Amino acid sequence: SDLLPACNGEITTMSFLQDVVDILLQYVAKSFDRSTKVIDFHYPNELLQEYNWELADQPQTLEEILLNCRTTLKYAIKTGHPRYFNQLSTGLDMVGLAADWLTSAANTNMFTYEIAPVFVLLEYVTLRKMREMIGWPGGCGDGIFSPGGAISNMYAMLIARFKMFPEVKEKGMAAIPRLVAFTSEHSHFSVKKGAAALGIGTDSVILIRCDERGKMIPSDLERRIVEAKQKGFVPFLVSATAGTTVYGAFDPLIAIADICKKYKIWMHVDGAWGGGLLMSRKHKWKLNGVERANSVTWNPHKMMGVPLQCSALLVREEGLMQSCNQMHASYLFQQDKHYDLSYDTGDKALQCGRHVDVFKLWLMWRAKGTTGFEAQIDKCLELAEYLYNKIKNREGYEMVFDGKPQHTNVCFWYIPPSLRGMENNEERMSRLTKVAPVIKARMMEYGTTMVSYQPLGDKVNFFRMVISNPAATHQDIDFLIDEIERLGQDL
């Protein structure tokens, strides 16, 4: 009752918001201070017992609300910290942060030009620029910002299915043949999740074998397509991956495009992780053939460091998204408005309420230029190569696959002294699988750094180091190596 829009609430409101900004600025400063912890780790039951998080009938004072803000950030993971390497999306960009604050203050919805005029235009301009960078002539086509790469991939499946069988929109899956999609065994789980959500079924997603570097094998793709057709199934989509989650592998897009053209199948490229490399003249060759795709997922909140969330689905054929998703809701999309109705974008989205995600990317692009993004991305890839060169022949390290990584993913085992002389047998593997989880747990308890681990196929738990934070330096890579050795010496 003390804050606006309460009567005479202006002075109290401005003071409160200034206090909040001070809290935020202190957090920003701490995020880049290497002497601070990445994480102040507590177990869930400890945090639940230490503070009262419950919701009450009566309001708290503003002082208590400010204390809640401080407490929340105290235990937040500093994802902008130069030594946070745990996820594909890391870093804290100041212009992106400012843009996020602005969009929250504007608090509008992206469905019509009527209520989001500048934001709708910026989405139009930015998506066209991204399509140009993919290589579609003049930036032709369509697109939308969605809540994340999983939803962008689901959009692609939805549109591919509609393109082949438009009647599915009204009549449902019962009216069409049994569809099958194809993706690599190293692809993101969202392809199967999308198939489940759309009623296609996870059994209808056929996983294609990969080579030792994690790239889809085109000959196996063609073999499985022919096999599916012989069984009477209808192949409708191939989802290639540009930057797999674990290995950072780029599928051979040109060969896959040839196969999709031959069998008249929609080609989607999941470039959620690797799409940012299109900004780099040095590295964009890894996506050669992406211009032949029918749709592309590209997450600027990953390699480009845009604050979460910022994911785009780009479609080569204009008008297809609209036809697939529109429901002609007359209370939003009136046909007798006094402006160009093509800027009312809400009817081509699955969502009705849609957050303004474009402004962060657009404002950062304005601040950095394409060359700034390029320098940022090139630096991250250079750091990954630096890490690879430091550990590939270092005692106590084994690489998960041979050769320099294609992306910033560096996958390796740390071999503690007790395992270094052991024969490579089942007992060694059993002991090795426990090493990364223990080191990771110790990292979190000390709060010094964070890096991900996982098993994959027949390979037991290994570290997957990824670099997308422009704040990281050679010093931070050196620190990570030393910390792994410090925390794992006694295992």
Side-chain angles (χ1 to χ4, degrees):
S1 61
D2 299 330
L3 300 175
L4 286 175
C7 182
N8 302 319
E10 186 170 341
I11 294 174
T12 310
T13 299
M14 295 308 151
S15 174
F16 170 73
L17 290 177
Q18 187 60 59
D19 287 341
V20 171
V21 169
D22 290 344
I23 291 168
L24 294 171
L25 294 180
Q26 288 166 20
Y27 181 77
V28 168
K30 282 183 179 177
S31 288
F32 297 105
D33 181 354
R34 286 176 174 80
S35 69
T36 65
K37 290 183 174 185
V38 174
I39 171 179
D40 184 357
F41 180 77
H42 287 64
Y43 288 96
N45 61 321
E46 293 174 340
L47 269 186
L48 282 171
Q49 290 167 13
E50 194 167 338
Y51 295 93
N52 177 18
W53 306 97
E54 298 303 319
L55 298 168
D57 293 337
Q58 298 305 314
Q60 288 186 312
T61 65
L62 291 182
E63 288 72 23
E64 289 172 312
I65 295 299
L66 290 169
L67 182 60
N68 293 157
C69 293
R70 290 191 185 94
T71 303
T72 301
L73 284 181
K74 173 177 167 58
Y75 297 108
I77 313 301
K78 296 190 188 77
T79 57
H81 197 289
R83 291 172 181 167
Y84 174 79
F85 304 109
N86 206 63
Q87 247 55 53
L88 303 183
S89 49
T90 63
L92 183 58
D93 187 275
M94 296 303 103
V95 173
L97 178 63
D100 223 354
W101 289 350
L102 187 145
T103 54
S104 291
N107 192 32
T108 194
N109 199 321
M110 285 295 289
F111 48 49
T112 63
Y113 179 83
E114 180 179 330
I115 64 164
V118 176
F119 295 137
V120 164
L121 293 180
L122 296 183
E123 185 171 65
Y124 171 81
V125 167
T126 305
L127 289 170
R128 184 181 63 196
K129 179 70 173 177
M130 294 172 82
R131 292 192 299 267
E132 283 177 10
M133 300 193 80
I134 287 169
W136 295 336
C140 67
D142 206 342
I144 202 157
F145 283 93
S146 83
I151 303 299
S152 292
N153 287 340
M154 189 172 78
Y155 265 120
M157 299 184 86
L158 183 72
I159 297 163
R161 181 177 68 176
F162 176 81
K163 174 70 175 175
M164 186 173 278
F165 294 103
E167 63 270 28
V168 73
K169 182 176 175 180
E170 286 82 22
K171 295 182 170 53
M173 288 294 291
I176 63 173
R178 168 78 181 273
L179 302 181
V180 286
F182 305 85
T183 192
S184 90
E185 59 188 358
H186 284 209
S187 67
H188 195 260
F189 68 86
S190 58
V191 179
K192 281 197 167 188
K193 185 168 277 194
L198 296 176
I200 294 164
T202 57
D203 287 351
S204 297
V205 177
I206 297 171
L207 299 181
I208 306 303
R209 287 193 298 112
C210 293
D211 65 17
E212 68 282 353
R213 293 295 300 268
K215 301 179 182 185
M216 185 192 290
I217 300 172
S219 59
D220 192 53
L221 171 64
E222 183 162 23
R223 179 182 71 82
R224 299 301 298 272
I225 289 172
V226 170
E227 193 178 88
K229 288 169 73 74
Q230 287 171 346
K231 291 178 179 175
F233 302 150
V234 178
F236 82 106
L237 174 133
V238 173
S239 180
T241 312
T244 58
T245 306
V246 180
Y247 281 9
F250 289 77
D251 287 342
L253 302 183
I254 293 172
I256 292 168
D258 289 342
I259 292 168
C260 289
K261 182 180 179 183
K262 179 177 177 180
Y263 294 97
K264 297 182 173 60
I265 303 172
W266 183 282
M267 177 183 173
H268 175 61
V269 174
D270 178 4
W273 175 219
L277 269 57
L278 291 169
M279 311 291 280
S280 167
R281 286 166 290 189
K282 183 178 179 181
H283 294 285
K284 66 181 181 181
W285 63 269
K286 296 166 188 176
L287 289 100
N288 282 352
V290 69
E291 72 283 353
R292 295 177 61 188
N294 298 96
S295 57
V296 177
T297 291
W298 177 351
N299 285 11
H301 71 227
K302 290 195 168 87
M303 201 64 215
M304 293 166 68
V306 178
L308 283 159
Q309 59 196 28
C310 189
S311 172
L313 185 275
L314 298 311
V315 182
R316 189 167 64 188
E317 183 178 330
E318 192 172 356
L320 195 56
M321 284 193 81
Q322 186 82 8
S323 301
C324 178
N325 295 322
Q326 68 184 357
M327 290 294 158
H328 305 287
S330 59
Y331 49 84
L332 279 180
F333 310 115
Q334 302 93 338
Q335 298 304 296
D336 51 0
K337 292 181 180 179
H338 63 293
Y339 57 80
D340 182 349
L341 296 177
S342 68
Y343 293 104
D344 281 2
T345 57
D347 217 10
K348 68 182 179 186
L350 283 177
Q351 301 162 263
C352 181
R354 192 160 66 89
H355 189 259
V356 176
D357 292 328
V358 67
F359 190 66
K360 295 170 289 192
L361 171 58
W362 179 85
L363 201 67
M364 284 174 64
W365 211 323
R366 296 279 280 196
K368 295 174 189 287
T370 306
T371 56
F373 274 125
E374 176 181 48
Q376 182 176 310
I377 287 163
D378 287 352
K379 177 193 170 187
C380 289
L381 279 134
E382 186 275 322
L383 284 175
E385 190 170 344
Y386 173 78
L387 170 62
Y388 168 72
N389 287 332
K390 282 209 70 163
I391 66 173
K392 64 179 179 180
N393 296 317
R394 186 182 180 101
E395 185 183 17
Y397 291 86
E398 286 181 17
M399 306 311 297
V400 173
F401 54 80
D402 293 329
K404 191 172 80 173
Q406 266 204 297
H407 205 353
T408 71
N409 308 49
V410 184
C411 299
F412 61 91
W413 288 282
Y414 172 69
I415 313 296
S418 67
L419 297 184
R420 286 177 198 170
M422 276 188 76
E423 187 183 337
N424 192 10
N425 55 26
E426 195 171 318
E427 185 193 347
R428 183 179 186 268
M429 287 295 102
S430 176
R431 289 173 62 180
L432 184 58
T433 196
K434 299 170 185 173
V435 170
V438 172
I439 293 175
K440 171 67 176 284
R442 291 175 177 180
M443 280 179 181
M444 292 179 70
E445 285 167 2
Y446 280 104
T448 50
T449 185
M450 285 179 71
V451 60
S452 182
Y453 73 85
Q454 66 285 297
L456 186 69
D458 61 352
K459 293 176 169 58
V460 299
N461 282 325
F462 57 88
F463 285 112
R464 178 207 61 170
M465 173 68 174
V466 286
I467 305 165
S468 60
N469 188 347
T473 63
H474 293 105
Q475 171 198 349
D476 299 309
I477 303 301
D478 294 341
F479 176 86
L480 175 77
I481 295 169
D482 292 342
E483 192 68 351
I484 287 173
E485 291 175 359
R486 180 179 78 85
L487 297 173
Q489 278 294 315
D490 64 332
L491 296 179

